[in-house]
Amino acid sequence: MRRIALVTLVVDDHDEAIRFYTEALGFRLVEDDRRPDGSRWVVVEPGTGGGGTGLLLARAKDEAQRGRIGDQTGGRVGFFLHTDDFARDHARMLASGVRFLEEPRHEPYGSVAVFEDLYGNRWDLLQPADRAGAD
């Protein structure tokens, strides 16, 4: 079986990114390894372990990469955080200082609200509609 294991997210600072993703979004830190060249391999994931896609938090190494921080998808929503309890996670994230760009809305596909991460990348917090019997 094949799956996407990691998606790279360019960040300005590993420690502030770890704090945001673990404290504000409730992700768990999977790896934080220092490499012989002085770099770090930092992975966070939203689930409780295994099977999902993690984020590789990669610190920008040059001006070109720094220019991409917060705009890796050209201003579009580029990341989709699924939840099984939208109201709970939305309230927790608001209390943690996460900036939502809109009020929650209920669409045929589920409950959703767009938020920004620490650097301005746009995310959907999404509780998909119950698809039981849809197939």
Side-chain angles (χ1 to χ4, degrees):
M1 178 195 313
R2 298 187 316 183
R3 68 180 177 90
I4 296 174
L6 294 173
V7 173
T8 299
L9 188 67
V10 181
V11 301
D12 189 44
D13 178 88
H14 282 120
D15 294 324
E16 74 178 358
I18 290 169
R19 270 191 303 280
F20 177 81
Y21 284 97
T22 60
E23 295 174 12
L25 298 189
F27 284 29
R28 72 181 190 97
L29 180 62
V30 177
E31 291 182 70
D32 184 0
D33 297 322
R34 295 195 184 276
R35 303 295 181 172
D37 66 359
S39 66
R40 285 167 71 181
W41 181 266
V42 178
V43 176
V44 295
E45 68 178 29
T48 57
T53 301
L55 289 178
L56 172 63
L57 303 178
R59 192 172 65 79
K61 292 182 179 183
D62 56 32
E63 282 305 313
Q65 290 180 11
R66 276 188 282 288
R68 299 284 188 232
I69 294 172
D71 191 27
Q72 293 186 187
T73 59
R76 293 185 58 103
V77 170
F79 306 94
F80 300 83
L81 181 59
H82 282 199
T83 177
D84 60 357
D85 188 333
F86 182 89
R88 174 200 66 212
D89 289 339
H90 182 261
R92 185 187 56 72
M93 290 166 67
L94 278 173
S96 295
V98 174
R99 181 171 174 251
F100 280 86
L101 303 179
E102 63 183 20
E103 292 297 315
R105 54 192 161 84
H106 305 287
E107 302 289 347
Y109 57 84
S111 297
V112 64
V114 176
F115 69 92
E116 287 183 337
D117 69 12
L118 175 65
Y119 299 107
N121 295 298
R122 292 180 179 208
W123 291 68
D124 271 357
L125 175 63
L126 174 64
Q127 181 175 357
D130 182 13
R131 295 188 44 112
D135 294 326

